[in-house]
Amino acid sequence: MKKGVLLLTLIPLLLFYAFPVGAAEKEQRTWTDEIVYSILVDRFFDGNIHNNGDANVNDPSAFNGGDFEGVTKKLNYLKDMGYTAIILSPIFANEDNGYHGDWVTDYYKTDQHYGTMKEFKKLVNEAHNLDMKVILDFQANNVGPHSSWQNEADKKAWFHEEKKISDDGDQTDLETSWVDGLPDLNQNNEETRQYLLDAAKWWITETDIDGYRLNKVQYVAKDFWKEFVDAVKSEKSNFYTIGDVQGDAGLISSYKKTGIDAFMAYPQNDELREAFSAPDKALKPVFDAFAKSEAELGVNAPQALFMDTQEMPRFTKDAADHNENPGSRWKMALSYLYTMPGVPIVFYGSEIALNGNVAPDNHKLMNFKTEQELVEYITKLSDLRDMYPALTKGNMELLYEKGATAVFKRVYGEETMVVVMNNTSETKTITIAAEKLEKNNELRGLLNGDLVRSKDNSYTIVIDRETTEVYKLSPKSVINIPYLLVIGLVLLIFGIFIAFVIKRSKRNEP
Protein backbone atom coordinates (compact mmCIF):
# COMPACT_ATOMS: atom_id res chain seq x y z
CA MET A 1 0.00 0.00 0.00
CA LYS A 2 2.95 2.30 0.70
CA LYS A 3 4.00 1.98 -2.95
CA GLY A 4 0.52 3.11 -3.98
CA VAL A 5 0.68 6.17 -1.77
CA LEU A 6 4.12 7.03 -3.15
CA LEU A 7 2.79 6.71 -6.69
CA LEU A 8 -0.15 8.99 -5.88
CA THR A 9 2.28 11.55 -4.46
CA LEU A 10 4.29 11.54 -7.67
CA ILE A 11 1.29 12.36 -9.85
CA PRO A 12 1.07 16.09 -8.96
CA LEU A 13 4.82 16.40 -9.59
CA LEU A 14 4.49 14.83 -13.01
CA LEU A 15 1.58 17.14 -13.81
CA PHE A 16 3.61 20.16 -12.64
CA TYR A 17 6.51 19.36 -14.94
CA ALA A 18 4.14 18.60 -17.81
CA PHE A 19 2.90 22.19 -17.96
CA PRO A 20 4.92 24.91 -19.65
CA VAL A 21 6.91 27.35 -17.54
CA GLY A 22 4.91 30.46 -16.60
CA ALA A 23 5.79 34.12 -16.86
CA ALA A 24 9.13 35.35 -15.60
CA GLU A 25 9.44 36.86 -12.17
CA LYS A 26 7.86 40.31 -12.01
CA GLU A 27 10.00 43.41 -12.04
CA GLN A 28 10.01 45.85 -9.17
CA ARG A 29 6.72 47.75 -8.93
CA THR A 30 6.75 51.36 -10.09
CA TRP A 31 4.16 54.12 -10.46
CA THR A 32 3.30 52.96 -13.99
CA ASP A 33 2.11 49.63 -12.55
CA GLU A 34 -0.53 51.22 -10.33
CA ILE A 35 -4.30 51.21 -10.89
CA VAL A 36 -5.88 53.93 -8.78
CA TYR A 37 -9.35 54.37 -7.29
CA SER A 38 -10.19 57.94 -6.21
CA ILE A 39 -12.55 58.25 -3.24
CA LEU A 40 -14.64 61.15 -1.96
CA VAL A 41 -14.53 59.87 1.61
CA ASP A 42 -17.83 61.36 2.79
CA ARG A 43 -19.80 59.78 -0.08
CA PHE A 44 -18.25 56.31 -0.19
CA PHE A 45 -19.38 54.14 2.73
CA ASP A 46 -20.58 54.80 6.29
CA GLY A 47 -18.71 52.26 8.37
CA ASN A 48 -19.31 53.88 11.77
CA ILE A 49 -22.63 55.62 12.46
CA HIS A 50 -21.33 56.96 15.78
CA ASN A 51 -19.19 59.67 14.15
CA ASN A 52 -21.94 61.04 11.88
CA GLY A 53 -22.75 64.04 14.07
CA ASP A 54 -24.73 66.48 11.91
CA ALA A 55 -24.47 64.31 8.77
CA ASN A 56 -27.62 64.39 6.65
CA VAL A 57 -27.98 61.99 3.71
CA ASN A 58 -30.92 64.04 2.41
CA ASP A 59 -28.78 67.16 1.99
CA PRO A 60 -26.31 66.88 -0.91
CA SER A 61 -24.39 69.92 0.38
CA ALA A 62 -23.84 68.50 3.87
CA PHE A 63 -21.77 65.67 5.28
CA ASN A 64 -23.45 62.36 4.40
CA GLY A 65 -21.62 59.95 6.71
CA GLY A 66 -18.78 58.27 4.79
CA ASP A 67 -15.72 57.66 6.94
CA PHE A 68 -12.35 55.94 7.40
CA GLU A 69 -13.95 52.78 8.76
CA GLY A 70 -16.16 52.61 5.68
CA VAL A 71 -13.14 52.77 3.36
CA THR A 72 -11.34 50.16 5.45
CA LYS A 73 -14.30 47.78 5.22
CA LYS A 74 -14.33 48.10 1.42
CA LEU A 75 -10.62 47.63 0.77
CA ASN A 76 -11.11 43.98 -0.24
CA TYR A 77 -13.86 45.07 -2.65
CA LEU A 78 -11.35 47.40 -4.32
CA LYS A 79 -8.52 44.88 -4.19
CA ASP A 80 -10.69 42.26 -5.90
CA MET A 81 -11.26 44.67 -8.81
CA GLY A 82 -7.50 45.01 -9.17
CA TYR A 83 -6.93 48.43 -7.65
CA THR A 84 -3.45 48.81 -6.21
CA ALA A 85 -3.78 52.33 -4.77
CA ILE A 86 -6.45 54.68 -3.46
CA ILE A 87 -6.62 58.47 -3.43
CA LEU A 88 -8.62 60.00 -0.59
CA SER A 89 -10.20 63.45 -0.81
CA PRO A 90 -8.73 65.88 1.78
CA ILE A 91 -9.26 64.39 5.23
CA PHE A 92 -8.12 67.38 7.31
CA ALA A 93 -10.56 69.10 9.67
CA ASN A 94 -12.99 71.22 7.64
CA GLU A 95 -15.64 73.88 8.23
CA ASP A 96 -19.32 73.01 8.47
CA ASN A 97 -20.52 71.37 5.25
CA GLY A 98 -16.95 71.02 4.01
CA TYR A 99 -17.56 67.38 3.06
CA HIS A 100 -15.40 67.84 -0.06
CA GLY A 101 -12.34 68.70 2.05
CA ASP A 102 -11.61 72.06 0.42
CA TRP A 103 -12.39 74.19 3.48
CA VAL A 104 -9.54 73.25 5.81
CA THR A 105 -9.46 74.57 9.38
CA ASP A 106 -6.58 72.51 10.81
CA TYR A 107 -3.96 70.56 8.84
CA TYR A 108 -2.99 68.48 11.87
CA LYS A 109 -6.39 66.98 12.62
CA THR A 110 -8.71 64.56 10.85
CA ASP A 111 -12.23 65.77 10.29
CA GLN A 112 -14.45 64.42 13.07
CA HIS A 113 -16.98 63.16 10.52
CA TYR A 114 -14.39 60.76 9.10
CA GLY A 115 -13.10 59.37 12.38
CA THR A 116 -10.06 59.50 14.60
CA MET A 117 -6.37 59.46 13.77
CA LYS A 118 -6.28 55.92 15.16
CA GLU A 119 -8.96 54.85 12.66
CA PHE A 120 -7.06 56.49 9.81
CA LYS A 121 -3.85 54.71 10.77
CA LYS A 122 -5.79 51.46 10.78
CA LEU A 123 -6.99 52.22 7.23
CA VAL A 124 -3.42 52.80 6.04
CA ASN A 125 -2.17 49.68 7.80
CA GLU A 126 -4.94 47.49 6.36
CA ALA A 127 -4.28 48.89 2.88
CA HIS A 128 -0.57 48.14 3.19
CA ASN A 129 -1.37 44.59 4.34
CA LEU A 130 -3.22 44.20 1.01
CA ASP A 131 -0.24 45.70 -0.85
CA MET A 132 -2.26 48.83 -1.66
CA LYS A 133 -0.92 52.38 -1.48
CA VAL A 134 -2.70 55.30 0.16
CA ILE A 135 -2.50 58.78 -1.39
CA LEU A 136 -4.04 61.91 0.13
CA ASP A 137 -5.32 65.02 -1.61
CA PHE A 138 -3.33 67.97 -0.23
CA GLN A 139 -4.84 71.46 -0.48
CA ALA A 140 -2.11 74.12 -0.14
CA ASN A 141 -3.80 77.00 -1.96
CA ASN A 142 -6.58 78.06 0.39
CA VAL A 143 -8.54 77.43 3.58
CA GLY A 144 -12.28 77.61 4.33
CA PRO A 145 -14.39 80.72 3.65
CA HIS A 146 -14.92 81.41 7.37
CA SER A 147 -11.43 80.49 8.56
CA SER A 148 -10.71 81.76 12.07
CA TRP A 149 -7.13 82.39 10.95
CA GLN A 150 -8.31 85.56 9.20
CA ASN A 151 -9.23 87.03 12.59
CA GLU A 152 -5.95 86.15 14.29
CA ALA A 153 -3.56 89.09 14.45
CA ASP A 154 -0.46 86.95 14.08
CA LYS A 155 -1.82 85.37 10.88
CA LYS A 156 -2.78 88.46 8.92
CA ALA A 157 0.27 88.00 6.69
CA TRP A 158 -0.69 84.40 6.01
CA PHE A 159 -3.13 85.54 3.30
CA HIS A 160 -3.01 87.43 0.04
CA GLU A 161 -5.20 90.50 -0.22
CA GLU A 162 -8.73 89.57 -1.31
CA LYS A 163 -9.21 89.98 -5.05
CA LYS A 164 -10.63 88.08 -8.01
CA ILE A 165 -8.53 86.73 -10.85
CA SER A 166 -8.35 89.33 -13.62
CA ASP A 167 -9.51 88.63 -17.15
CA ASP A 168 -6.00 88.16 -18.52
CA GLY A 169 -5.12 85.93 -15.57
CA ASP A 170 -1.32 86.12 -15.78
CA GLN A 171 0.62 83.70 -13.59
CA THR A 172 1.32 86.16 -10.78
CA ASP A 173 -2.35 87.07 -10.68
CA LEU A 174 -3.34 83.38 -10.54
CA GLU A 175 -1.01 82.76 -7.61
CA THR A 176 -2.15 85.73 -5.52
CA SER A 177 -5.93 85.91 -6.16
CA TRP A 178 -8.76 84.23 -4.26
CA VAL A 179 -10.02 81.20 -6.21
CA ASP A 180 -13.77 80.57 -5.81
CA GLY A 181 -13.85 83.28 -3.15
CA LEU A 182 -11.70 81.24 -0.73
CA PRO A 183 -9.00 82.89 1.42
CA ASP A 184 -5.76 82.49 -0.52
CA LEU A 185 -2.73 81.39 1.46
CA ASN A 186 0.47 83.39 0.97
CA GLN A 187 3.22 80.79 0.63
CA ASN A 188 5.82 83.58 0.34
CA ASN A 189 5.21 84.28 4.02
CA GLU A 190 7.77 82.18 5.86
CA GLU A 191 5.40 81.14 8.66
CA THR A 192 2.68 80.05 6.23
CA ARG A 193 5.16 78.20 4.09
CA GLN A 194 6.73 76.37 7.03
CA TYR A 195 3.34 75.44 8.47
CA LEU A 196 2.31 73.73 5.22
CA LEU A 197 5.66 71.99 4.76
CA ASP A 198 5.76 70.76 8.35
CA ALA A 199 2.17 69.48 8.12
CA ALA A 200 2.91 67.62 4.89
CA LYS A 201 5.93 65.91 6.46
CA TRP A 202 4.07 65.18 9.71
CA TRP A 203 1.39 63.10 7.99
CA ILE A 204 4.07 60.94 6.38
CA THR A 205 5.97 60.22 9.57
CA GLU A 206 2.80 59.86 11.65
CA THR A 207 0.73 57.63 9.34
CA ASP A 208 3.10 56.19 6.67
CA ILE A 209 0.99 57.34 3.72
CA ASP A 210 2.48 56.82 0.25
CA GLY A 211 1.74 59.98 -1.70
CA TYR A 212 -0.06 63.28 -2.20
CA ARG A 213 -2.20 64.49 -5.06
CA LEU A 214 -1.53 68.22 -5.07
CA ASN A 215 -4.65 70.28 -5.75
CA LYS A 216 -4.82 73.63 -7.56
CA VAL A 217 -1.13 73.45 -8.46
CA GLN A 218 -1.21 76.31 -10.96
CA TYR A 219 -2.47 78.69 -8.25
CA VAL A 220 0.65 78.24 -6.10
CA ALA A 221 4.17 79.37 -7.02
CA LYS A 222 6.57 76.81 -8.51
CA ASP A 223 9.31 77.50 -5.98
CA PHE A 224 6.96 76.42 -3.17
CA TRP A 225 6.14 73.16 -4.94
CA LYS A 226 9.84 72.48 -5.50
CA GLU A 227 10.50 72.88 -1.77
CA PHE A 228 7.36 70.86 -0.96
CA VAL A 229 8.42 67.89 -3.10
CA ASP A 230 11.95 67.96 -1.67
CA ALA A 231 10.53 68.06 1.86
CA VAL A 232 8.17 65.09 1.52
CA LYS A 233 10.74 62.96 -0.27
CA SER A 234 13.21 63.67 2.54
CA GLU A 235 10.76 61.86 4.83
CA LYS A 236 10.09 58.93 2.48
CA SER A 237 12.25 58.49 -0.62
CA ASN A 238 9.63 56.63 -2.65
CA PHE A 239 6.86 59.06 -1.73
CA TYR A 240 4.79 59.92 -4.78
CA THR A 241 3.35 63.26 -5.87
CA ILE A 242 0.66 63.82 -8.52
CA GLY A 243 0.08 67.34 -9.77
CA ASP A 244 -3.42 68.56 -10.52
CA VAL A 245 -2.62 71.26 -13.07
CA GLN A 246 -5.75 72.22 -14.97
CA GLY A 247 -4.28 73.47 -18.17
CA ASP A 248 -2.79 72.51 -21.52
CA ALA A 249 0.29 70.37 -22.05
CA GLY A 250 2.53 73.43 -22.28
CA LEU A 251 1.42 74.74 -18.89
CA ILE A 252 1.78 71.31 -17.29
CA SER A 253 5.26 70.90 -18.77
CA SER A 254 6.37 74.10 -17.05
CA TYR A 255 5.89 72.37 -13.67
CA LYS A 256 8.20 69.44 -14.40
CA LYS A 257 11.14 71.25 -12.78
CA THR A 258 9.29 71.27 -9.46
CA GLY A 259 9.99 67.55 -9.18
CA ILE A 260 6.32 66.55 -9.12
CA ASP A 261 6.32 62.91 -10.25
CA ALA A 262 3.18 62.76 -12.42
CA PHE A 263 0.38 64.98 -13.65
CA MET A 264 -3.34 64.57 -14.19
CA ALA A 265 -3.80 64.27 -17.98
CA TYR A 266 -6.17 67.21 -18.45
CA PRO A 267 -5.00 67.89 -22.04
CA GLN A 268 -6.40 64.50 -23.07
CA ASN A 269 -9.56 64.53 -20.99
CA ASP A 270 -11.81 66.68 -23.18
CA GLU A 271 -11.09 64.51 -26.21
CA LEU A 272 -11.62 61.30 -24.25
CA ARG A 273 -15.00 62.41 -22.95
CA GLU A 274 -16.13 63.55 -26.38
CA ALA A 275 -14.97 60.45 -28.26
CA PHE A 276 -16.37 57.84 -25.89
CA SER A 277 -19.64 59.54 -24.95
CA ALA A 278 -21.35 57.92 -27.97
CA PRO A 279 -20.46 55.48 -30.77
CA ASP A 280 -19.29 56.60 -34.22
CA LYS A 281 -17.23 59.49 -32.85
CA ALA A 282 -13.76 59.81 -34.37
CA LEU A 283 -10.78 58.61 -32.35
CA LYS A 284 -8.22 60.76 -34.17
CA PRO A 285 -8.57 63.70 -31.72
CA VAL A 286 -7.87 61.32 -28.85
CA PHE A 287 -4.59 60.06 -30.30
CA ASP A 288 -3.63 63.57 -31.46
CA ALA A 289 -4.05 64.82 -27.88
CA PHE A 290 -1.92 61.93 -26.62
CA ALA A 291 0.83 62.71 -29.16
CA LYS A 292 0.79 66.40 -28.25
CA SER A 293 1.11 65.59 -24.55
CA GLU A 294 4.05 63.30 -25.22
CA ALA A 295 5.70 65.96 -27.38
CA GLU A 296 5.45 68.51 -24.52
CA LEU A 297 6.04 66.24 -21.52
CA GLY A 298 8.33 63.62 -23.08
CA VAL A 299 7.78 60.07 -24.32
CA ASN A 300 6.39 57.78 -21.63
CA ALA A 301 5.93 60.75 -19.31
CA PRO A 302 4.05 59.64 -16.17
CA GLN A 303 0.51 60.85 -16.73
CA ALA A 304 -2.68 60.01 -14.84
CA LEU A 305 -5.50 59.18 -17.27
CA PHE A 306 -9.06 59.79 -16.08
CA MET A 307 -12.62 60.35 -17.29
CA ASP A 308 -13.86 62.56 -14.47
CA THR A 309 -12.98 63.94 -11.04
CA GLN A 310 -14.93 65.39 -8.13
CA GLU A 311 -14.68 68.79 -9.82
CA MET A 312 -16.45 67.65 -13.02
CA PRO A 313 -19.83 66.36 -14.14
CA ARG A 314 -19.79 62.57 -14.34
CA PHE A 315 -18.79 60.92 -17.62
CA THR A 316 -22.00 58.88 -17.23
CA LYS A 317 -23.90 62.12 -17.79
CA ASP A 318 -22.16 62.58 -21.15
CA ALA A 319 -23.39 59.14 -22.23
CA ALA A 320 -26.89 59.76 -20.87
CA ASP A 321 -27.06 63.10 -22.73
CA HIS A 322 -26.54 61.09 -25.94
CA ASN A 323 -29.20 58.53 -24.88
CA GLU A 324 -26.51 55.87 -24.79
CA ASN A 325 -26.10 52.87 -22.50
CA PRO A 326 -23.57 54.10 -19.89
CA GLY A 327 -22.23 50.56 -19.39
CA SER A 328 -21.13 50.22 -23.02
CA ARG A 329 -19.65 53.70 -23.04
CA TRP A 330 -17.73 53.09 -19.83
CA LYS A 331 -16.30 49.82 -21.20
CA MET A 332 -14.88 51.61 -24.22
CA ALA A 333 -13.47 54.45 -22.09
CA LEU A 334 -11.95 52.15 -19.47
CA SER A 335 -10.38 50.01 -22.19
CA TYR A 336 -8.48 53.08 -23.35
CA LEU A 337 -7.45 54.15 -19.84
CA TYR A 338 -6.15 50.69 -18.96
CA THR A 339 -4.21 49.97 -22.15
CA MET A 340 -2.66 53.31 -23.17
CA PRO A 341 0.53 54.73 -21.64
CA GLY A 342 -0.35 56.30 -18.30
CA VAL A 343 -1.94 55.29 -15.02
CA PRO A 344 -5.74 54.95 -14.84
CA ILE A 345 -7.44 56.87 -12.03
CA VAL A 346 -11.10 55.90 -11.65
CA PHE A 347 -13.44 58.07 -9.58
CA TYR A 348 -15.61 56.25 -7.05
CA GLY A 349 -18.93 55.01 -8.41
CA SER A 350 -17.74 54.70 -12.00
CA GLU A 351 -18.06 50.91 -11.66
CA ILE A 352 -21.83 51.37 -11.21
CA ALA A 353 -22.01 54.21 -13.77
CA LEU A 354 -22.95 56.77 -11.12
CA ASN A 355 -24.52 59.85 -12.75
CA GLY A 356 -24.46 63.52 -11.85
CA ASN A 357 -23.93 67.06 -13.09
CA VAL A 358 -21.76 69.67 -11.37
CA ALA A 359 -21.11 69.43 -7.62
CA PRO A 360 -22.78 68.37 -5.44
CA ASP A 361 -24.86 66.38 -7.95
CA ASN A 362 -21.77 64.44 -9.02
CA HIS A 363 -21.09 63.51 -5.37
CA LYS A 364 -23.94 61.09 -4.84
CA LEU A 365 -23.64 58.32 -2.27
CA MET A 366 -22.04 55.12 -3.52
CA ASN A 367 -24.59 52.31 -3.78
CA PHE A 368 -23.04 48.89 -3.27
CA LYS A 369 -26.36 47.07 -3.71
CA THR A 370 -26.96 48.00 -7.33
CA GLU A 371 -26.11 45.71 -10.23
CA GLN A 372 -22.42 46.20 -10.87
CA GLU A 373 -22.15 45.30 -14.56
CA LEU A 374 -18.78 46.96 -14.98
CA VAL A 375 -17.03 45.32 -12.05
CA GLU A 376 -16.23 42.12 -13.94
CA TYR A 377 -14.94 44.09 -16.92
CA ILE A 378 -12.73 46.28 -14.74
CA THR A 379 -11.38 43.15 -13.06
CA LYS A 380 -10.46 41.63 -16.43
CA LEU A 381 -8.65 44.80 -17.50
CA SER A 382 -6.79 44.91 -14.19
CA ASP A 383 -5.72 41.29 -14.60
CA LEU A 384 -4.30 42.06 -18.04
CA ARG A 385 -2.31 45.05 -16.77
CA ASP A 386 -0.96 42.87 -13.98
CA MET A 387 0.00 39.95 -16.23
CA TYR A 388 1.51 41.77 -19.22
CA PRO A 389 4.19 44.42 -18.56
CA ALA A 390 3.84 45.77 -22.10
CA LEU A 391 0.49 47.30 -21.08
CA THR A 392 2.15 49.33 -18.33
CA LYS A 393 5.72 49.91 -19.49
CA GLY A 394 5.66 49.32 -23.23
CA ASN A 395 6.17 51.83 -26.02
CA MET A 396 3.02 52.70 -27.96
CA GLU A 397 2.67 52.75 -31.74
CA LEU A 398 -0.56 53.56 -33.56
CA LEU A 399 -0.99 50.98 -36.36
CA TYR A 400 -4.38 51.96 -37.73
CA GLU A 401 -6.89 54.74 -37.20
CA LYS A 402 -9.96 55.43 -39.28
CA GLY A 403 -13.15 57.08 -38.11
CA ALA A 404 -14.16 55.48 -34.82
CA THR A 405 -11.79 52.50 -35.08
CA ALA A 406 -8.16 52.22 -34.07
CA VAL A 407 -5.42 49.65 -33.56
CA PHE A 408 -2.26 50.24 -31.54
CA LYS A 409 0.47 48.08 -30.12
CA ARG A 410 2.46 48.18 -26.89
CA VAL A 411 5.93 46.61 -26.99
CA TYR A 412 8.14 45.81 -24.02
CA GLY A 413 11.15 43.58 -24.52
CA GLU A 414 9.98 40.44 -26.35
CA GLU A 415 6.31 41.06 -25.48
CA THR A 416 3.89 42.67 -27.95
CA MET A 417 0.29 43.48 -27.10
CA VAL A 418 -2.18 44.70 -29.72
CA VAL A 419 -5.30 46.67 -28.79
CA VAL A 420 -8.19 46.95 -31.26
CA MET A 421 -10.98 49.45 -30.56
CA ASN A 422 -14.24 49.55 -32.49
CA ASN A 423 -16.11 52.59 -31.25
CA THR A 424 -18.73 52.32 -34.00
CA SER A 425 -22.30 51.05 -34.14
CA GLU A 426 -21.49 48.17 -36.52
CA THR A 427 -19.09 45.24 -36.88
CA LYS A 428 -15.81 46.19 -38.54
CA THR A 429 -13.14 44.28 -40.47
CA ILE A 430 -9.62 45.65 -40.14
CA THR A 431 -6.54 44.39 -41.96
CA ILE A 432 -3.08 44.99 -40.52
CA ALA A 433 0.00 44.26 -42.62
CA ALA A 434 2.24 41.61 -41.06
CA GLU A 435 5.22 43.96 -41.44
CA LYS A 436 3.70 46.12 -38.67
CA LEU A 437 3.68 43.10 -36.37
CA GLU A 438 5.49 39.88 -37.33
CA LYS A 439 4.88 37.26 -40.00
CA ASN A 440 3.63 33.78 -39.26
CA ASN A 441 2.28 34.59 -35.82
CA GLU A 442 -1.17 34.84 -34.30
CA LEU A 443 -3.11 37.31 -32.19
CA ARG A 444 -4.68 35.67 -29.14
CA GLY A 445 -7.61 37.66 -27.76
CA LEU A 446 -7.56 38.01 -23.99
CA LEU A 447 -10.78 39.92 -23.33
CA ASN A 448 -13.20 38.14 -25.67
CA GLY A 449 -11.25 35.02 -26.68
CA ASP A 450 -10.75 35.94 -30.34
CA LEU A 451 -7.97 34.30 -32.40
CA VAL A 452 -6.46 35.85 -35.54
CA ARG A 453 -3.73 34.06 -37.52
CA SER A 454 -1.55 35.76 -40.08
CA LYS A 455 -2.46 34.87 -43.63
CA ASP A 456 -1.03 36.23 -46.88
CA ASN A 457 1.31 38.47 -44.88
CA SER A 458 -1.50 40.22 -43.01
CA TYR A 459 -3.84 39.93 -40.05
CA THR A 460 -7.55 40.31 -40.71
CA ILE A 461 -9.46 41.25 -37.56
CA VAL A 462 -13.24 41.16 -37.30
CA ILE A 463 -14.47 43.04 -34.24
CA ASP A 464 -18.01 43.61 -32.96
CA ARG A 465 -19.59 47.02 -32.47
CA GLU A 466 -18.66 49.00 -29.36
CA THR A 467 -16.01 46.48 -28.43
CA THR A 468 -12.35 46.43 -27.49
CA GLU A 469 -10.13 43.36 -27.79
CA VAL A 470 -6.65 43.05 -26.32
CA TYR A 471 -4.43 40.56 -28.16
CA LYS A 472 -1.09 39.03 -27.35
CA LEU A 473 1.15 38.46 -30.36
CA SER A 474 2.30 34.84 -30.12
CA PRO A 475 3.81 32.09 -32.27
CA LYS A 476 1.21 30.07 -34.14
CA SER A 477 -0.23 27.27 -32.07
CA VAL A 478 1.12 23.78 -32.81
CA ILE A 479 0.34 20.38 -31.36
CA ASN A 480 2.76 19.77 -28.47
CA ILE A 481 3.49 16.04 -28.91
CA PRO A 482 5.85 15.70 -25.88
CA TYR A 483 3.30 17.45 -23.70
CA LEU A 484 0.49 15.12 -24.82
CA LEU A 485 2.71 12.06 -24.28
CA VAL A 486 3.48 13.13 -20.71
CA ILE A 487 -0.20 13.76 -19.98
CA GLY A 488 -1.06 10.35 -21.43
CA LEU A 489 1.61 8.67 -19.30
CA VAL A 490 0.32 10.40 -16.17
CA LEU A 491 -3.24 9.27 -16.89
CA LEU A 492 -2.04 5.70 -17.58
CA ILE A 493 -0.13 5.55 -14.29
CA PHE A 494 -3.10 6.98 -12.44
CA GLY A 495 -5.40 4.35 -14.04
CA ILE A 496 -3.04 1.52 -13.05
CA PHE A 497 -2.94 2.83 -9.50
CA ILE A 498 -6.74 2.98 -9.25
CA ALA A 499 -7.00 -0.58 -10.61
CA PHE A 500 -4.40 -1.73 -8.07
CA VAL A 501 -6.32 -0.12 -5.19
CA ILE A 502 -9.63 -1.70 -6.29
CA LYS A 503 -8.06 -5.14 -6.71
CA ARG A 504 -6.39 -4.94 -3.31
CA SER A 505 -9.58 -3.82 -1.59
CA LYS A 506 -11.44 -6.81 -3.07
CA ARG A 507 -8.80 -9.17 -1.67
CA ASN A 508 -9.31 -7.73 1.76
CA GLU A 509 -13.07 -8.22 1.68
CA PRO A 510 -14.29 -10.97 4.14
Side-chain angles (χ1 to χ4, degrees), residues 456-469:
D456 299 328
N457 291 326
S458 66
Y459 295 83
T460 300
I461 303 164
V462 179
I463 184 165
D464 291 339
R465 62 189 295 271
E466 297 183 68
T467 298
T468 298
E469 179 63 291

Side-chain angles (χ1 to χ4, degrees), residues 313-334:
R314 293 272 182 170
F315 171 65
T316 298
K317 182 180 182 299
D318 295 1
D321 287 346
H322 287 87
N323 295 316
E324 293 295 329
N325 176 2
S328 299
R329 297 292 85 215
W330 265 112
K331 286 181 180 179
M332 292 300 302
L334 288 165

Side-chain angles (χ1 to χ4, degrees), residues 228-422:
F228 185 98
V229 171
D230 290 343
V232 296
K233 288 185 180 292
S234 71
E235 299 298 322
K236 192 172 183 178
S237 60
N238 61 343
F239 197 79
Y240 214 80
T241 52
I242 308 168
D244 192 290
V245 183
Q246 299 183 25
D248 60 23
L251 176 64
I252 293 174
S253 181
S254 70
Y255 285 86
K256 289 173 61 177
K257 292 181 180 179
T258 63
I260 294 174
D261 296 295
F263 295 93
M264 300 289 286
Y266 281 98
Q268 300 183 53
N269 183 255
D270 285 345
E271 304 299 348
L272 287 175
R273 293 185 67 132
E274 173 63 22
F276 294 120
S277 61
D280 300 313
K281 288 180 175 285
L283 294 178
K284 187 177 187 302
V286 170
F287 291 101
D288 285 348
F290 165 76
K292 186 174 181 180
S293 289
E294 286 225 319
E296 289 282 356
L297 298 172
V299 176
N300 293 329
Q303 298 187 68
L305 300 173
F306 63 96
M307 295 307 297
D308 48 30
T309 69
Q310 68 182 60
E311 308 295 332
M312 303 174 169
R314 293 272 182 170
F315 171 65
T316 298
K317 182 180 182 299
D318 295 1
D321 287 346
H322 287 87
N323 295 316
E324 293 295 329
N325 176 2
S328 299
R329 297 292 85 215
W330 265 112
K331 286 181 180 179
M332 292 300 302
L334 288 165
S335 297
Y336 182 92
L337 298 189
Y338 275 66
T339 59
M340 280 288 286
V343 173
I345 296 183
V346 180
F347 193 35
Y348 88 97
S350 298
E351 73 272 30
I352 61 168
L354 203 60
N355 202 348
N357 202 337
V358 295
D361 190 46
N362 58 337
H363 300 161
K364 293 184 175 75
L365 281 169
M366 176 66 182
N367 186 350
F368 292 93
K369 296 181 180 179
T370 60
E371 182 182 352
Q372 298 173 10
E373 64 170 296
L374 291 171
V375 170
E376 183 179 345
Y377 194 75
I378 289 172
T379 305
K380 284 184 178 180
L381 289 172
S382 298
D383 288 344
L384 293 183
R385 279 182 63 91
D386 182 55
M387 292 172 63
Y388 300 103
L391 292 177
T392 57
K393 299 179 173 69
N395 294 325
M396 196 284 288
E397 180 183 348
L398 186 62
L399 303 180
Y400 174 93
E401 175 271 307
K402 183 178 181 181
T405 56
V407 181
F408 60 89
K409 68 178 180 180
R410 304 287 307 276
V411 180
Y412 184 73
E414 299 298 316
E415 184 177 89
T416 298
M417 307 297 290
V418 178
V419 181
V420 181
M421 307 192 76
N422 179 10

